[in-house]
Amino acid sequence: MRTVFSTSAFALVLNLLVAGAAWAQRTSSSFVQQFAGGTVLLANGDTIEGPLALHRNEDVILVSLPNNTVSTLSAVAVQSFAVKGERLDRNRNQYDDFYDARMGYYYGSPIYGYTPRARRTTPDTSLVRVFRVFRWNHDNDYSDFKSPAFFEQLSSGPTILLRRESLVQRPVNYGSPYGFGGYGGYGYPYGVPRTMGYYTEIKDNFYLGTPNGAIISLRNPKKDLLAAFRQQSKQIEKYAKENQLDYTNARELAFLVNYANSLQSQPRQ
């Protein structure tokens, strides 16, 4: 029996292919963050300071120096850097410097007798964020090649919670919370959404940095964190439940990592 490929079906497939190509272009867009001040510790031990631009996708920073020149540095030339005064980003809903978590705080910690600072919803130029360099396979599990990359430090050690932020543009369809109406019409069959446009948001990608410099990807934060701390997994699950902590929330995940570290430091019974 000969299959007849109708003109309308061909048009639908063509539309989907074009949409897929546009999606690929949108997810690969450049992501640059601007900071009013930065201090960079170079690989050779020197330090430079000045306003800083972080090019996320390329793992490159541009530092404006006092002599009106700009120093362009890739991750291979940097040990770590701290920044403050992040320029307002309409894609970001929450602002946090993770100071408490970087100091080792977690709920119930016997070391700290204070409540952590409230999470901010507006920019604060006094907030300091810290970035470190780790060698990374760029989530290519089938490759042994690793190159230096920037990761934001969210917790204390010895095992550190790290984050890489990325821009994601999601489609707005008729019938979605960002659109209106229903499906169908305009040449689209029912069940296939018609894209109105796109909105951009910042996506968190979490990792663990081990004391020996290895990177563990937390694609599924709960599952992968418990696997990394296998011997303490039951205690961590109980702690997260008692304190109503969300494994996908950056701040709360940082507290969980600090708690997991505290369990490893305790002597075995």
Side-chain angles (χ1 to χ4, degrees), residues 39-43 61 75 77-82 130-133 150:
T39 301
V40 182
L41 176 61
L42 302 177
I61 56 175
V78 176
Q79 289 190 46
S80 62
F81 64 92
V130 176
F131 293 79
R132 301 191 181 278
V133 175
F150 295 129

Side-chain angles (χ1 to χ4, degrees), residues 149-160:
F150 295 129
F151 293 83
E152 184 177 5
Q153 179 182 349
L154 304 189
S155 77
S156 182
T159 298
I160 303 172

Side-chain angles (χ1 to χ4, degrees), residues 161-181:
L161 178 64
L162 304 170
R163 176 174 70 176
R164 282 180 66 92
E165 294 177 312
S166 59
L167 279 185
V168 176
Q169 292 191 345
R170 304 192 186 281
V172 179
N173 301 315
Y174 286 102
S176 77
Y178 299 93
F180 56 89

